[in-house]
Amino acid sequence: SFNQISFANWAPGGEDALSGTANFNLNAFYRKNSVTFENQAILIYGMIQSRDKGLMKMEDRLEFNSKLNYKAVKYWNYSLLYTFKSQFAPGYTYPNRVDAVSRFFAPAYSTLSLGMDYVPNRYISLFMSPISGKFTFVADQKLADNGAYGVKKAIKDTAGNIIRHGEPIKPELGLAVNAKLKYEILKNIIVDSRVTLYDAYMDEDITNRWNVDVDFETTINFVINSMFSTSFNSRFVYDDNIMVPLYKKVDGLKTPNGQGPRLQIKQAFGIGMVMKLERKKKTR
């Protein structure tokens, strides 16, 4: 999808901008007897170019999900779930374009969960795992030394020299819950919603053992025809280990004021061209 806006002698003010986002959502599904195997890849990258601020990254997402189910009883399945999340390119707190706050595999999240999957129909699934291992990777030593994304930060002497570098990996064991809903509420209006909850009940810091990580995403697709569609996407993320820059107004200017965990919110609305690739089962 693309968006372009420009101004000429526009009294209220404004800034010329050109933006574009590529969104690849790939799904593969296998079923045989009591076994089902679901795979999903979400690849998103977006850039925005403005006259005053230059070229900036707008959206960046690299995610893979796989779920292997074996039929237990009626609506219940024994289930093994694997997820991986990261990004493609470095991210910055603009206008700072020197100090990256994130990179590929910094952070990256890898989760392997064993549990039960409740699937009453083809629209809903609820996965619950009392044994879920989560690994947070920060493959950037500078970020790891700062303790970014919850890893153990570097130990320094009184002069500020590093005695021991920060750890690039943080392992966790906890409870995971994943719920998904995909339903056509009206003709050509499809709601695709999912929520992921994770609680690391074995965290070394006892005060963090009830800080539940939340990732709640909803996409509403309005299908115009076979080539075009409009979509609205919202995503809410909370992770107590992710520090968000905080600001305050000083003499009318936006001034840095430390950092802390906050509810992260992203919303997007756009119209785009859709190419649907589907392999249909051959009929005899």
Side-chain angles (χ1 to χ4, degrees), residues 215-233:
D215 189 342
F216 178 37
E217 182 175 23
T218 298
T219 300
I220 304 176
N221 290 308
F222 306 86
V223 181
I224 299 173
N225 53 41
S226 60
M227 292 187 64
F228 296 95
S229 76
T230 299
S231 66
F232 173 79
N233 174 272

Side-chain angles (χ1 to χ4, degrees), residues 7 12 24 67 109 121 144 151 166 200 202 216 230 239 259 268:
F7 301 89
F24 294 91
K67 183 166 64 175
Y109 303 97
N121 53 53
V151 299
M202 296 294 290
F216 178 37
T230 299
D239 188 333
Q259 57 182 5

Side-chain angles (χ1 to χ4, degrees), residues 279-284:
R279 181 182 179 184
K280 295 184 178 180
K281 186 177 180 180
K282 294 181 179 179
T283 56
R284 294 182 179 178

Side-chain angles (χ1 to χ4, degrees), residues 54-259:
L55 187 65
M56 299 183 295
K57 184 172 72 169
M58 185 171 62
E59 190 167 5
D60 190 354
R61 186 174 178 185
L62 172 63
E63 181 174 336
F64 299 98
N65 301 293
S66 292
K67 183 166 64 175
L68 179 64
N69 279 355
Y70 185 83
K71 187 78 171 181
V73 291
K74 203 172 183 180
Y75 303 132
W76 291 92
N77 303 278
Y78 303 112
S79 187
L80 182 66
L81 177 68
Y82 175 76
T83 64
F84 174 83
K85 299 179 181 180
S86 189
Q87 59 185 25
F88 292 99
Y92 301 92
T93 304
Y94 298 102
N96 184 339
R97 298 174 180 269
V98 177
D99 302 313
V101 296
S102 61
R103 296 182 184 276
F104 174 69
F105 238 84
Y109 303 97
S110 180
T111 306
L112 184 64
S113 308
L114 180 65
M116 299 292 292
D117 192 25
Y118 176 68
V119 188
N121 53 53
R122 62 191 181 96
Y123 310 114
I124 301 172
S125 72
L126 176 63
F127 171 82
M128 294 168 285
S129 171
I131 306 174
S132 180
K134 179 181 178 182
F135 293 86
T136 301
F137 301 91
V138 180
D140 181 292
Q141 196 58 60
K142 184 177 180 180
L143 292 174
D145 288 341
N146 291 331
Y149 305 101
V151 299
K152 289 184 178 180
K153 64 182 180 180
I155 297 177
K156 301 180 181 180
D157 58 22
T158 54
N161 300 310
I162 295 178
I163 301 174
R164 188 181 70 185
H165 282 287
E167 297 184 4
I169 303 175
K170 179 183 179 181
E172 296 177 280
L173 179 66
L175 169 72
V177 176
N178 294 58
K180 294 195 301 182
L181 167 68
K182 188 172 184 179
Y183 188 70
E184 188 174 19
I185 56 175
L186 294 172
K187 184 175 176 59
N188 294 332
I189 301 179
I190 302 169
V191 174
D192 190 349
S193 183
R194 62 177 183 164
V195 59
T196 300
L197 307 175
Y198 187 86
D199 178 30
Y201 50 65
M202 296 294 290
D203 197 298
E204 293 181 1
D205 186 350
I206 298 178
T207 60
N208 285 337
R209 292 185 180 179
W210 292 105
N211 289 328
V212 179
D213 299 340
V214 180
D215 189 342
F216 178 37
E217 182 175 23
T218 298
T219 300
I220 304 176
N221 290 308
F222 306 86
V223 181
I224 299 173
N225 53 41
S226 60
M227 292 187 64
F228 296 95
S229 76
T230 299
S231 66
F232 173 79
N233 174 272
S234 65
R235 190 178 182 193
F236 301 86
V237 176
Y238 181 83
D239 188 333
D240 197 66
N241 293 316
I242 298 179
M243 299 294 110
V244 177
L246 305 178
Y247 300 91
K248 66 178 181 179
K249 285 290 186 70
V250 177
D251 297 327
L253 299 176
K254 187 178 179 181
T255 306
N257 186 35
Q259 57 182 5

